[in-house]
Amino acid sequence: MPDLMINNRAYKVTGILFDKDGTLLDFIATWGSWSKNVFNELEQQLKGRGISLHPDLIPSLWGTKHGEDGTIIDYDRNGPLAMGTMQDLYAVLAWQLYTKGLSWAEAMELVQYCKKHADRELERLRPARPLPGSVDFLKSCKAFGIKLGVVTADETEAANQHLEWLGIRPYFDLVIGNDLVERGKPFPDMFQLACRKLAIDCSEAAIIGDTNGDMRMGVAAGAAVTVGIADAAMGSSAHLLLPDAKEVISHYSQLKIRSQAHED
């Protein structure tokens, strides 16, 4: 069984499960763009109905941080956009529309309309880019025969599409989206399902993610190690955002695979 080396500490693993957004691909590049298109279309549709949303309300809905021009420049790692399912995001928006006087049916229809608009723009622009060092690490894992999977709060079809855009889908033995389990993160269902399909024990698998939902999922499933990846600028505060991470890294260069035969 190979060793996953993290900051000179060794963990024996036969599989590694990855979150997708913010872990394999740049979160803001993809979901910042998508969210901005959702919000822009929503504001246009509401304007036609004589309804407006206060500018200060928008960032609080999904936990986004906006620049002066409205571009999304950052996000709350513990917020709905980072940790919620797509259905969670739709419900948050629909609730706000309901409070503005729309029926729940109208609100959900409008949210779906804006979502489809944003999906079309995402497909057209394909603003996906891998996190630095991630592709080299995936290559190293495959060279040592480690089984790889993705466990994401996104829907499985969309997740496969994004990995294809990045050119990294072939590295993964499986992709498990929130739509394939009864309970999403932070519950262990996705982790457990992935391990069953990979024919490995949960205690032989690591989880790498960027939110504490990923870490709590791993802890609940009995993962070999929970690895949180955080922006280097967060410094020691990363441990506050990822309290259930056994290891916290800022770059994939801090991860190495070592063969079982290696001797110090």
Side-chain angles (χ1 to χ4, degrees), residues 201-233:
D201 193 270
C202 290
S203 64
E204 300 174 2
I207 177 67
I208 301 177
D210 70 320
T211 74
N212 205 45
D214 299 311
M215 304 301 100
R216 292 179 71 84
M217 174 183 65
V219 170
V225 60
T226 52
V227 185
I229 186 165
D231 192 308

Side-chain angles (χ1 to χ4, degrees), residues 25 28 40 51 93 106 117 121 176 183 210 231 244:
L25 59 80
I28 291 298
N40 286 349
I51 301 172
L93 287 189
E106 291 174 312
H117 165 78
E121 285 299 291
I176 303 292
R183 302 177 302 173
D210 70 320
D231 192 308
D244 291 291

Side-chain angles (χ1 to χ4, degrees), residues 8-253:
N8 296 318
R9 286 181 287 272
Y11 300 91
K12 294 192 178 299
V13 299
T14 55
I16 300 177
L17 303 180
F18 296 78
D19 171 53
K20 176 172 67 74
D21 304 307
T23 301
L24 291 169
L25 59 80
D26 184 303
F27 192 96
I28 291 298
T30 301
W31 293 107
S33 173
W34 181 83
S35 299
K36 184 175 184 292
N37 283 318
V38 170
F39 293 144
N40 286 349
E41 185 62 24
L42 181 62
E43 288 181 310
Q44 288 298 314
Q45 291 296 321
L46 290 178
K47 185 177 180 180
R49 292 170 166 81
I51 301 172
S52 63
L53 295 177
H54 194 281
D56 291 342
L57 176 64
I58 298 296
S60 70
L61 295 176
W62 289 351
T64 52
K65 300 179 183 179
H66 300 241
E68 292 183 1
D69 63 352
T71 299
I72 296 174
I73 57 176
D74 203 356
Y75 63 102
D76 178 4
R77 273 67 177 174
N78 288 324
L81 186 60
M83 297 181 67
T85 66
M86 300 305 290
Q87 294 302 321
D88 292 337
L89 298 181
Y90 306 153
V92 169
L93 287 189
W95 171 252
Q96 291 299 323
L97 301 182
Y98 174 70
T99 65
K100 293 294 183 180
L102 275 67
S103 71
W104 187 253
E106 291 174 312
M108 287 301 293
E109 288 172 351
L110 182 53
V111 169
Q112 284 297 316
Y113 177 87
C114 295
K115 177 260 185 191
K116 290 177 180 178
H117 165 78
D119 285 349
R120 288 193 295 271
E121 285 299 291
L122 196 68
E123 171 64 30
R124 182 177 69 85
L125 298 172
R126 300 190 176 188
R129 58 174 182 259
L131 257 62
S134 59
V135 177
D136 287 339
F137 180 64
L138 294 174
K139 290 178 180 177
S140 178
C141 289
K142 296 306 286 186
F144 281 91
I146 293 177
K147 297 179 180 180
L148 303 179
V150 172
V151 286
T152 174
D154 201 358
E155 295 168 352
T156 305
E157 182 179 356
N160 276 302
Q161 184 180 55
H162 299 161
L163 296 172
E164 290 286 357
W165 292 351
L166 292 172
I168 61 174
R169 178 60 183 88
Y171 289 107
F172 297 101
D173 300 290
L174 55 76
V175 175
I176 303 292
N178 195 77
D179 53 309
L180 296 184
V181 294
E182 182 177 348
R183 302 177 302 173
K185 302 172 187 179
F187 299 100
D189 301 34
M190 276 195 281
F191 195 103
Q192 292 169 337
L193 176 59
C195 288
R196 285 199 302 272
K197 287 182 174 291
L198 292 173
I200 62 176
D201 193 270
C202 290
S203 64
E204 300 174 2
I207 177 67
I208 301 177
D210 70 320
T211 74
N212 205 45
D214 299 311
M215 304 301 100
R216 292 179 71 84
M217 174 183 65
V219 170
V225 60
T226 52
V227 185
I229 186 165
D231 192 308
M234 292 183 187
S236 60
S237 66
H239 289 275
L240 299 177
L241 289 171
L242 299 163
D244 291 291
K246 192 167 186 178
E247 299 281 357
V248 176
I249 63 170
S250 59
H251 193 279
Y252 274 96
S253 61

